[in-house]
Amino acid sequence: MPFGYVSPAQAMRDKAEYARQGIARGRSCVTLQYDGGILMMAPNPSSALHKISEIYDRIAFAAVGRYNEYENLRRAGITYADITGYQFDRHDVTARAIANYYAQNLGTIFTENLKPFEVEIVVAEVGTRPEADQIYRITFDGSVNDEPGFVAFGGQADQVSAVLKERYSTGMSLAQAFAAALAALSASGNGERTEIAATQLEVAILDRTREHRTFRRIRAARLEELIAESRSAGVQSAPAADAPSGESPASGGGSPSPGGPSAGSEPPTGPERGNTDRGGGVGGGDATPPNPL
């Protein structure tokens, strides 16, 4: 054997271990269905560097790992979707096609490059009915998995997925799905929970009821309401030994009604008119730091 020889099998194992370690340093992201669409949630203290973005009319993208790598993939996916929709038909742009496109690119990078991409990606498409929803998970080596119902990826994905499995059920409302996702992301390895503030969360939905562009971000007032509802639901489900008769331990006057923003607040979901985060093709935009998100 020549000096320094490494077998192909050992090289692939080393690459896989390297990529897994890089992805595990980030924070988990969750994607799950609810009765009105698909919810995506990720811990993200940055308001400018997004983990969750729009790809096409009814398709969204979420990623964990090294930011500069999955940002290039996101832009490439947008370019692929735009060109496909322009050359053929908008209905030809599907989550499955974009997932296959990402799988081919990640598989080639993993096999041919010395350093693999430290990323995991989810591509989700909302249908006109829940049975038509699609959620695909693409790993660093180009493997594609169809994930019915929900998926947790990146970071401590097994632990987050175990909590989601206990709390998830079909036909949940947005508030119920949000509570399940928040509980899963808040769970720690020793069984305790850590509180996550609204400023530390990035949340978006694919709204099934919308006709054209279904992607909307949940921000500010509406996000605070959903967090308050999920926490009050947790308090009400616990034993309330000290609560007076006829009163709920989580009751309080003047609280906003579930599902609706308070008067005078900004719109419950989505950016302002004309604002989009889809961006351009690969290579555009400012330089981005390579730290994992």
Side-chain angles (χ1 to χ4, degrees):
M1 291 292 179
F3 180 74
Y5 172 79
V6 178
S7 67
Q10 183 61 46
M12 292 298 104
R13 285 193 293 268
D14 291 343
K15 286 183 179 182
E17 183 63 23
Y18 175 85
R20 290 191 188 99
Q21 289 177 354
I23 294 167
R25 286 195 295 267
R27 299 289 299 276
S28 299
C29 179
V30 298
T31 300
L32 65 160
Q33 291 177 275
Y34 68 98
D35 60 352
I38 296 175
L39 169 69
M40 292 179 161
M41 182 188 299
N44 186 5
S46 174
S47 60
L49 308 180
H50 295 309
K51 294 183 178 182
I52 304 169
S53 299
E54 179 185 21
I55 291 287
Y56 211 61
D57 295 345
R58 306 182 71 85
I59 303 173
F61 167 99
V64 294
R66 193 170 288 270
Y67 177 81
N68 64 320
E69 293 176 347
Y70 67 68
E71 176 66 8
N72 280 338
L73 290 171
R74 181 188 73 88
R75 289 175 175 269
I78 292 171
T79 302
Y80 169 82
D82 283 343
I83 292 175
T84 302
Y86 178 77
Q87 289 183 334
F88 301 99
D89 187 85
R90 300 187 74 88
H91 294 91
D92 293 328
V93 182
T94 63
R96 183 174 64 179
I98 294 175
N100 289 335
Y101 172 78
Y102 282 141
Q104 292 171 9
N105 281 272
L106 285 172
T108 301
I109 291 168
F110 181 79
T111 303
E112 298 181 357
N113 290 15
L114 181 63
K115 176 197 171 300
F117 273 20
E118 302 167 55
V119 298
E120 281 193 25
I121 294 172
V122 160
V123 177
E125 179 179 0
V126 66
T128 55
R129 60 188 189 281
E131 296 79 12
D133 291 347
Q134 301 177 39
I135 301 175
Y136 297 99
R137 177 184 181 181
I138 306 99
T139 58
F140 57 87
D141 60 353
S143 300
V144 182
N145 297 299
D146 182 10
E147 304 285 352
F150 67 90
V151 60
F153 58 105
Q156 305 300 318
D158 293 339
Q159 170 188 312
V160 175
S161 183
V163 178
L164 267 182
K165 187 175 181 179
E166 294 177 357
R167 293 176 172 265
Y168 177 79
S169 62
T170 57
M172 293 191 300
S173 65
L174 175 59
Q176 292 171 332
F178 184 93
L182 184 63
L185 293 175
S186 302
S188 59
N190 56 7
E192 298 178 355
R193 291 187 59 185
T194 57
E195 297 294 335
I196 302 179
T199 55
Q200 298 175 314
L201 281 176
E202 181 179 0
V203 184
I205 61 171
L206 291 171
D207 189 350
R208 194 188 320 282
T209 61
R210 298 185 65 88
E211 292 296 330
H212 185 44
R213 294 179 61 182
T214 62
F215 182 88
R216 288 293 180 268
R217 295 191 181 277
I218 298 181
R219 305 174 185 267
R222 181 56 177 148
L223 184 55
E224 293 281 2
E225 288 179 11
L226 288 171
I227 292 176
E229 289 174 17
S230 63
R231 289 175 179 168
S232 64
V235 172
Q236 290 174 356
S237 63
D242 299 332
S245 59
E247 294 184 7
S248 169
S251 63
S255 60
S257 59
S262 56
S265 64
E266 64 178 78
T269 59
E272 295 179 358
R273 184 181 300 274
N275 188 14
T276 178
D277 56 8
R278 293 183 65 226
V282 179
D286 299 330
T288 54
N291 57 298
L293 286 176

